[in-house]
Amino acid sequence: MDVALAPVGTDLSPYLPDEHGLFFIYHFTTDGLRTKDPAQACWTWRSYQITDLHARQEIGAERALPGPVRDAFLAPSHGCHIDFEDGWLYGDLPDLKHDFSEARGLVHFRFAFNETMLVGARKQPLESVDAVRKAVENGSRKFRSPAELIEAVTGQSLDGMSVELGKLGDTLDGIEDRVVRDAWHNERQALVEARRQLVVIHRQMATITNLFRHLDHSHRNELPDPINDMAARLSQRAHTLYHDGEQLQARTRLLQDELMAKLTMQSNQLLYVLSVMTAVLLPMTIISGLFGMNVGGLPLVDTPMGFWVVTAVSVFIAAATYLFVRRLGRGL
């Protein structure tokens, strides 16, 4: 880099970038362990805040990056991609936001690496990157090459999405149980939200699968064997999650169909009740309307029992109408 970085041995914040837009810089030995001595480093990992102007200037000034890689790294993000150029694998892959972010969801992790350098960048704290960073700091995992670290980051991201799919599966189990028990009246919104999340994750799994397939088909003869193997493993994992997401989506569609069927049945029952009430009250409405006319010659006006006679006739006709409608309803 042309711009001075933090002094050797300085621990930067993994969540707040420094004045150069740099979150951290880790050096790795040939054994895959972190070292604070750059002279012992076999390769280096730098992580930047991609929206920071100073970070973009440093990345743009990095002479080791080929022009197409640098341009793609600094270009506005328009979706996921992965490609290979002059010994550099670079791309933009989905990841989960960290738990302490404002909202849970998918964001992108941008990277470019060759055998001796890995440059990563992000807009927001990422769950998988933070998990790998902690593994580097406590020495619980060894990363002998940038390819191993990128596979670990992507693998963590896939694991996180697998956990999200598991939670959505549990949510669908609960909704299904309540639908079977006919306690489904408050489940429509939960089902819609579950399906929305499934669509997002399922779409990202399809994207990752297609990206690594494209990488394999387009650069099979150019890619080093470790990167080829990494792409094959990640593609297989993403493909498995893709099918898991498909099964959950099929369940959500079936549950939505069942809920719609129950709603239709409930609406039909309400319409039937309203129809019966209308049929029962119609004769009584006609009689009350006739006797309510302010004209001469109304029968039973001078009869002391006239009111009760009319009431009895109305109740009798209403009962007969009700029995007729009930019988007609059973026959349909």
Side-chain angles (χ1 to χ4, degrees):
M1 293 285 185
D2 295 335
V3 182
L5 294 174
V8 176
T10 299
D11 286 327
L12 303 175
S13 169
Y15 306 119
L16 296 175
D18 67 358
E19 65 272 15
H20 303 294
L22 183 69
F23 285 111
F24 55 79
I25 176 170
Y26 293 153
H27 304 288
F28 295 85
T29 64
T30 54
D31 295 331
L33 293 174
R34 180 193 176 195
T35 177
K36 293 189 177 182
D37 184 3
Q40 300 178 358
C42 174
W43 66 278
T44 302
W45 177 21
R46 294 189 179 101
S47 180
Y48 289 95
Q49 174 80 20
I50 193 60
T51 56
D52 189 281
L53 179 60
H54 296 95
R56 297 179 69 84
Q57 290 174 345
E58 286 201 7
I59 295 171
E62 177 55 66
R63 297 174 181 174
L65 291 173
V69 178
R70 186 167 54 248
D71 293 342
F73 205 95
L74 296 176
S77 179
H78 295 295
C80 299
H81 69 92
I82 190 168
D83 215 332
F84 187 76
E85 181 78 28
D86 294 336
W88 285 79
L89 187 71
Y90 62 98
D92 207 339
L93 296 176
D95 193 7
L96 291 170
K97 291 182 184 178
H98 207 289
D99 288 334
F100 54 70
S101 296
E102 292 181 1
R104 188 75 166 162
L106 290 174
V107 288
H108 287 181
F109 168 61
R110 190 170 294 188
F111 68 92
F113 72 86
N114 63 1
E115 294 180 353
T116 60
M117 183 188 299
L118 167 62
V119 180
R122 58 177 174 78
K123 293 181 179 179
Q124 297 165 299
L126 303 179
E127 189 173 88
S128 59
V129 174
D130 196 52
V132 172
R133 179 192 61 78
K134 290 177 180 177
V136 169
E137 290 191 344
N138 60 33
S140 60
R141 289 191 63 176
K142 297 180 179 181
F143 299 103
R144 296 176 177 83
S145 68
E148 289 185 8
L149 193 143
I150 286 297
E151 182 174 3
V153 170
T154 309
Q156 286 283 341
S157 178
L158 293 176
D159 288 342
M161 294 183 192
S162 178
V163 170
E164 292 296 315
L165 287 177
K167 292 178 181 177
L168 289 172
D170 294 339
T171 299
L172 293 179
D173 289 341
I175 293 174
E176 190 173 30
D177 290 341
R178 289 186 287 275
V179 168
V180 170
R181 297 199 310 265
D182 278 337
W184 51 269
H185 300 282
N186 298 321
E187 301 303 324
R188 293 181 64 191
Q189 187 58 42
L191 189 57
V192 169
E193 180 62 22
R195 188 171 185 182
R196 185 192 65 79
Q197 295 180 34
L198 276 172
V199 167
V200 173
I201 295 177
H202 186 254
R203 192 175 297 156
Q204 296 297 338
M205 291 301 99
T207 299
I208 293 176
T209 302
N210 292 333
L211 285 177
F212 283 109
R213 282 179 179 172
H214 165 75
L215 182 67
D216 181 57
H217 294 161
S218 302
H219 303 283
R220 179 186 294 270
N221 298 326
E222 305 174 47
L223 293 175
D225 290 338
I227 295 181
N228 258 325
D229 296 339
M230 175 197 75
R233 288 191 294 269
L234 293 177
S235 178
Q236 181 62 37
R237 288 192 61 190
H239 190 64
T240 301
L241 288 178
Y242 174 82
H243 282 294
D244 292 344
E246 268 191 338
Q247 293 176 353
L248 289 177
Q249 278 195 312
R251 285 186 63 191
T252 60
R253 286 191 289 268
L254 288 174
L255 285 173
Q256 281 190 321
D257 290 343
E258 189 166 355
L259 277 179
M260 289 303 299
K262 288 182 176 293
L263 281 171
T264 302
M265 184 182 300
Q266 186 184 57
S267 298
N268 290 338
Q269 290 175 345
L270 290 174
L271 288 174
Y272 177 72
V273 170
L274 289 175
S275 299
V276 171
M277 290 180 63
T278 301
V280 169
L281 295 176
L282 182 59
M284 301 176 68
T285 303
I286 295 174
I287 293 173
S288 63
L290 289 173
F291 278 86
M293 291 187 296
N294 191 17
V295 295
L298 288 176
L300 305 178
V301 172
D302 299 323
T303 306
M305 297 296 294
F307 169 78
W308 299 110
V309 171
V310 173
T311 300
V313 171
S314 300
V315 171
F316 175 77
I317 295 176
T321 304
Y322 173 74
L323 294 174
F324 174 75
V325 172
R326 282 290 301 274
R327 186 175 179 182
L328 186 64
R330 292 195 187 100
L332 293 178

